[in-house]
């Protein structure tokens, strides 16, 4: 008898003061409907709260939505905290209003993928389902 693999666990959240959460809720629901276990942190989380929850919940990935313009500080802060706490194997991806010129810097810092408005939901699902899980 084969043992079923544990489902992929993904924390979805909003960091900073951004209160725009319609898109992130749609992403969370689509991932859940595709069989991914979702931990949704809600609005106004700090990077420290997101990382603590990700570690506590033993997630494989973190998906953050940022529409506030603070992506150049918030994504790197989350990555730093993950590494500092020995959880650098947790994948970080995100979405929101991110200018073209900021994408290469964020990816070089370790953000695995960035999705912007009007990205087809299937692209996000394909990315998450394709994550190389190290847990």
């Amino acid at each position: 008898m084969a043992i079923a693999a544990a489902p992929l666990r993904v924390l979805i959240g909003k960091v900073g003061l951004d209160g725009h959460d319609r898109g992130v809720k749609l992403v969370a629901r689509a991932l859940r409907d595709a069989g991914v276990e979702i931990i949704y942190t809600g609005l106004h989380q700090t990077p420290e709260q997101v990382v603590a929850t990700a570690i506590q919940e033993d997630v494989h990935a973190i998906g953050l939505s940022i529409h506030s313009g603070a992506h150049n500080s918030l994504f790197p802060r989350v990555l730093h905290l993950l590494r500092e706490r020995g959880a650098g194997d947790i994948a970080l991806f995100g979405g929101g209003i991110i200018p073209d010129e900021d994408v290469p810097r964020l990816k070089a810092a370790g953000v695995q993928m960035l999705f912007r408005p009007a990205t087809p939901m299937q692209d996000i699902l394909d990315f998450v389902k394709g994550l190389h899980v190290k847990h």
Side-chain angles (χ1 to χ4, degrees):
M1 184 165 137
I3 298 174
L8 190 62
R9 293 174 59 83
V10 176
L11 180 146
I12 298 290
K14 299 284 295 180
V15 288
L17 300 175
D18 176 14
H20 178 91
D21 66 348
R22 182 171 180 257
V24 76
K25 286 180 177 177
L26 291 172
V27 169
R29 178 171 290 164
L31 289 170
R32 183 202 65 199
D33 291 349
V36 176
E37 282 190 23
I38 298 297
I39 294 86
Y40 180 68
T41 61
L43 293 170
H44 310 302
Q45 298 294 296
T46 66
E48 290 78 8
Q49 289 171 314
V50 166
V51 170
T53 301
I55 292 168
Q56 179 181 356
E57 294 289 341
D58 194 28
V59 301
H60 302 105
I62 298 171
L64 299 177
S65 171
I66 302 174
H67 288 159
S68 65
H71 51 273
N72 284 325
S73 61
L74 292 172
F75 281 123
R77 178 73 179 144
V78 169
L79 287 164
H80 171 77
L81 291 168
L82 286 169
R83 292 177 186 129
E84 181 179 83
R85 297 187 181 157
D89 61 334
I90 297 175
L92 178 63
F93 67 97
I97 308 299
I98 301 165
D100 290 341
E101 59 269 16
D102 294 340
V103 171
R105 180 175 347 142
L106 292 170
K107 285 188 172 184
V111 178
Q112 289 198 11
M113 184 61 73
L114 293 162
F115 300 100
R116 295 194 250 162
T119 296
M121 193 63 70
Q122 190 61 51
D123 290 359
I124 300 169
L125 294 172
D126 291 344
F127 168 78
V128 171
K129 290 286 192 164
L131 286 171
H132 296 286
V133 177
K134 297 178 183 177
H135 280 65

